Amino acid sequence: AKELGRSLYQFYSTDMEKQSSYLMLLETGLRKAIERNELELYYQPQFDLVSNKVTSYEALLRWKHPTLGYISPGEFIPLAEDTGLILSIGEWVINTVCQRIKKWNESGYEPISIGINLSAKQFQQIGLVDMIKENIESNQIFPGCLEFELTEGAMQDAKKTLRTLNQLKDVGVRISVDDFGTGYSSLSYIKRFPIDTLKIDQSFVRDVLTDEKDAAITTTIIYLAQSLGLSVIAEGVEDEKQVEFFKLMGCHKAQGYYFSKPLPEKEIIEHYFKKKTK
Ligand code: C2E
Ligand code: CA
Ligand code: CA
Ligand code: CA
């Protein structure tokens, strides 16, 4: 019986337990990540394909765990959502971006726009709009230089979503729909919600040159955006032929490894920032 017990234990202590103890390790670490200064923002430039200039940058979280090394946001953001930690992490992101923009302004760089990802839980958080407003006011930044990226999944409750989006528009920030086309919402929401930009999900972009369905979907999204007077950007653009495709189809903005990976602040400043000419 003792043998059996041990082998059963061994059986259960395989993948599932390893998985959950790994998650617990991550959760404990994530709780302390902010105070221990382990979070960092990288910035990925977004290009205007006509002028060939950077129009803005998306802020993307990086977490350097003291023993596990870099952990991808694809891994820790869902955990942060489940545990509610996303609220303090998300606030840290907004604080940090606003402080940086203030600093960059003071250093004499040309005005810079930043895209900030908002998770569903964060978007539904009471006090979000006031928190954003306070950050804008205390850092004296132009609200239009912030663009909040929301997925369709965050916009499920139409009534509440409309109210919050209108409040955000009153503050003066911009709104984009992230991973557009991958959600299940009805399209009618784009008509009703005060949205500025559609971000074409990279899953449609990847094979756009070889897969007719992806080509049809991306072309339709571009046409939809144009017809509604919205801005549109292709995500995950990795080669020149894709750039040509989007340009030809009238999608004038793109973001992806073809142009640049997300980079730490120092490199973004070196490579892209320009001083204002007096
Ligand atoms: P996302 O918002 O859709 O961000 C785009 C992701 O695609 C980023 O992954 C970016 O590094 C990656 N990417 C950019 N260009 C290319 C390309 O050409 N090819 C490929 N294969 N990938 C490309 P990352 O940085 O790992 O972030 C993953 C996700 O984590 C983000 O997806 C977003 O949902 C979430 N995330 C990141 N930072 C934050 C944050 O501050 N707050 C919240 N709530 N979520 C965040
Ligand atoms: Ca995004
Ligand atoms: Ca995206
Ligand atoms: Ca995504």
Side-chain angles (χ1 to χ4, degrees):
K2 206 175 166 193
E3 294 271 291
L4 182 68
R6 192 177 298 152
S7 65
L8 267 181
Y9 175 76
Q10 272 161 3
F11 174 74
Y12 283 116
S13 78
T14 52
D15 291 356
M16 240 169 69
E17 262 185 24
K18 268 187 215 147
Q19 173 75 4
S20 73
S21 61
Y22 176 67
L23 283 179
M24 273 164 65
L25 185 67
L26 282 195
E27 185 184 335
T28 320
L30 200 50
R31 288 194 185 279
K32 301 189 175 125
I34 297 182
E35 50 183 278
R36 288 185 180 167
N37 237 336
E38 294 166 4
L39 295 180
E40 196 183 340
L41 288 176
Y42 274 40
Y43 300 89
Q44 186 177 37
Q46 304 182 324
F47 277 79
D48 184 313
L49 300 178
V50 178
S51 68
N52 244 321
K53 281 188 180 137
V54 179
T55 53
S56 50
Y57 303 83
E58 177 174 1
L60 292 158
L61 264 171
R62 295 293 176 261
W63 175 24
K64 193 164 183 228
H65 189 281
T67 54
L68 300 170
Y70 277 101
I71 297 165
S72 127
E75 215 168 324
F76 73 81
I77 294 288
L79 181 71
E81 272 264 299
D82 288 348
T83 53
L85 288 168
I86 193 69
L87 299 182
S88 49
I89 292 175
E91 186 165 351
W92 179 87
V93 171
I94 294 169
N95 289 163
T96 306
V97 167
C98 291
Q99 285 165 15
R100 284 295 175 274
I101 294 179
K102 179 182 190 210
K103 204 188 81 190
W104 297 331
N105 284 342
E106 288 171 352
S107 307
Y109 292 111
E110 283 181 357
I112 288 132
S113 294
I114 303 286
I116 299 177
N117 291 287
L118 281 185
S119 82
K121 213 171 236 168
Q122 224 187 332
F123 182 64
Q124 282 139 22
Q125 182 188 17
I126 295 165
L128 172 79
V129 179
D130 288 334
M131 185 265 281
I132 290 172
K133 205 172 156 191
E134 277 160 26
N135 271 285
I136 289 173
E137 283 168 359
S138 65
N139 290 292
Q140 296 173 296
I141 63 178
F142 172 60
C145 70
L146 297 181
E147 180 147 2
F148 287 95
E149 303 192 357
L150 288 155
T151 59
E152 289 160 81
M155 307 194 280
Q156 290 303 332
D157 183 335
K159 224 174 127 189
K160 280 192 190 154
T161 299
L162 184 62
R163 189 171 1 125
T164 309
L165 290 182
N166 281 332
Q167 288 169 348
L168 284 171
K169 290 314 290 180
D170 286 343
V171 173
V173 299
R174 295 170 58 86
I175 310 288
S176 60
V177 185
D178 205 354
D179 305 349
F180 186 74
T182 60
Y184 298 100
S185 352
S186 99
L187 274 183
S188 68
Y189 76 93
I190 11 181
K191 189 179 92 178
R192 283 184 291 150
F193 295 164
I195 288 162
D196 299 286
T197 307
L198 302 182
K199 296 193 77 175
I200 304 175
D201 189 65
Q202 54 192 51
S203 63
F204 304 120
V205 173
R206 195 173 306 127
D207 301 319
V208 76
L209 300 169
T210 50
D211 185 324
E212 285 171 28
K213 288 179 181 165
D214 287 337
I217 292 170
T218 50
T219 315
T220 305
I221 295 175
I222 296 163
Y223 184 70
L224 180 71
Q226 287 170 342
S227 316
L228 295 170
L230 306 177
S231 171
V232 60
I233 175 163
E235 280 199 272
V237 171
E238 293 185 355
D239 66 54
E240 191 170 3
K241 291 228 169 66
Q242 292 170 336
V243 174
E244 290 311 318
F245 174 89
F246 283 105
K247 233 175 167 172
L248 195 68
M249 292 304 164
C251 174
H252 297 316
K253 284 183 190 166
Q255 173 183 358
Y257 296 167
Y258 174 71
F259 300 101
S260 169
K261 287 184 303 185
L263 298 171
E265 176 180 356
K266 191 168 167 278
E267 289 182 41
I268 269 308
I269 293 177
E270 273 171 25
H271 284 77
Y272 297 104
F273 282 18
K274 291 196 181 66
K275 292 269 183 184
K276 262 188 274 192
T277 44
K278 285 180 208 131

